[in-house]
Amino acid sequence: EADIYQTPRYLVIGTGKKITLECSQTMGHDKMYWYQQDPGMELHLIHYSYGVNSTEKGDLSSESTVSRIRTEHFPLTLESARPSHTSQYLCATSPRSSTEAFFGQGTRLTVV
Amino acid sequence: AQTVTQSQPEMSVQEAETVTLSCTYDTSESDYYLFWYKQPPSRQMILVIRQEAYKQQNATENRFSVNFQKAAKSFSLKISDSQLGDAAMYFCAYRTPFGNEKLTFGTGTRLTIIP
């Protein structure tokens, strides 16, 4: 079954550590997005990609970086985690010819 | 910039009753899309219903329907015959067909179903 996989689901990590949040999809979609969601708050776009080798920053300033070397894979990296990075990170995909976005289950990150 | 406002942080409804969740938005665009997404606890966010701004007819998906008032920039969600599985956070979202096609979300409404 086509789906979007985010790993890990939960992560607690110390300040200063480098982390990579994984997002993989078997949907075959060109467009992929990373949203940040604080508890009880709306989602904010932090990165997006239209396809391989295409990455752009979103509306919310983020110290994270992304890469899109393969269509299926859109990892997000924090070089040096800080407590202010504590949040939920949602990966989403969208097919080229559709308005609908499909979401992964999210990664809840806590930086201590 | 587009904004989406959900003025009801929490709502509750008796099982089998009807509930309406409110959403207003602000945009200068004439062509856009509106969505309601459902986020159950610890589960994936899923699309509930979608409305194209150029369509005057309100969208309907089984027990879910919308009241789209373009001039008033209002987009409410009506859930009929509420079920326990409807308990979730509901997000209203806006999207243009241009640029990065990102979704702009409201702050969400937490819906509780009372058995």
Side-chain angles (χ1 to χ4, degrees):
Chain A
E1 182 179 338
D3 209 340
I4 302 166
Y5 305 93
Q6 287 190 245
T7 58
R9 288 290 311 282
Y10 303 93
L11 179 63
V12 180
I13 199 164
T15 297
K17 298 291 187 182
K18 177 180 178 179
I19 56 171
T20 296
L21 308 185
E22 301 288 349
C23 177
S24 296
Q25 53 123 342
T26 56
M27 311 285 279
H29 293 167
D30 292 320
K31 291 176 281 189
M32 296 188 74
Y33 305 83
W34 276 104
Y35 288 88
Q36 186 173 340
Q37 182 183 26
D38 291 326
M41 302 291 286
E42 67 266 48
L43 287 72
H44 292 286
L45 181 70
I46 51 175
H47 295 284
Y48 62 97
S49 168
Y50 285 144
V52 172
N53 295 325
S54 154
T55 62
E56 301 287 344
K57 287 188 177 293
D59 297 330
L60 184 66
S61 175
S62 174
E63 294 163 345
S64 58
T65 59
V66 293
S67 63
R68 189 88 183 274
I69 299 172
R70 300 193 334 252
T71 300
E72 305 81 19
H73 200 211
F74 191 41
L76 181 146
T77 298
L78 279 166
E79 290 293 333
S80 180
R82 297 209 303 267
S84 61
H85 296 138
T86 295
S87 189
Q88 173 157 255
Y89 294 84
L90 292 171
C91 179
T93 72
S94 187
R96 185 178 303 178
S97 58
S98 171
T99 60
E100 184 172 353
F102 298 80
F103 287 83
Q105 287 190 292
T107 293
R108 189 170 295 281
L109 173 66
T110 301
V111 184
V112 297
Chain B
Q2 296 84 14
T3 59
V4 177
T5 302
Q6 292 179 251
S7 59
Q8 305 156 314
E10 295 183 353
M11 291 282 284
S12 61
V13 63
Q14 291 281 149
E15 193 175 0
E17 297 295 310
T18 296
V19 64
T20 298
L21 308 183
S22 301
C23 173
T24 58
Y25 59 95
D26 188 24
T27 182
S28 58
E29 304 288 340
S30 59
D31 189 17
Y32 49 87
Y33 304 94
L34 295 166
F35 307 84
W36 279 98
Y37 278 88
K38 170 184 177 182
Q39 188 179 36
S42 301
R43 293 177 60 188
Q44 284 169 287
M45 186 173 300
I46 58 173
L47 178 67
V48 175
I49 199 164
R50 166 181 42 217
Q51 175 81 41
E52 290 89 350
Y54 66 85
K55 290 186 177 179
Q56 292 187 337
Q57 185 173 7
N58 289 323
T60 298
E61 289 286 342
N62 300 314
R63 298 182 295 107
F64 299 87
S65 62
V66 298
N67 184 3
F68 173 48
Q69 302 290 327
K70 191 173 184 179
K73 296 180 181 175
S74 171
F75 183 60
S76 61
L77 174 70
K78 185 171 81 171
I79 306 174
S80 303
D81 185 25
S82 298
Q83 301 175 0
L84 295 177
D86 295 333
M89 282 289 289
Y90 285 82
F91 291 93
C92 179
Y94 165 102
R95 173 177 168 169
T96 67
F98 314 109
N100 62 25
E101 300 169 27
K102 73 179 178 81
L103 290 164
T104 299
F105 287 87
T107 52
T109 297
R110 182 175 303 281
L111 178 64
T112 300
I113 310 297
I114 303 167

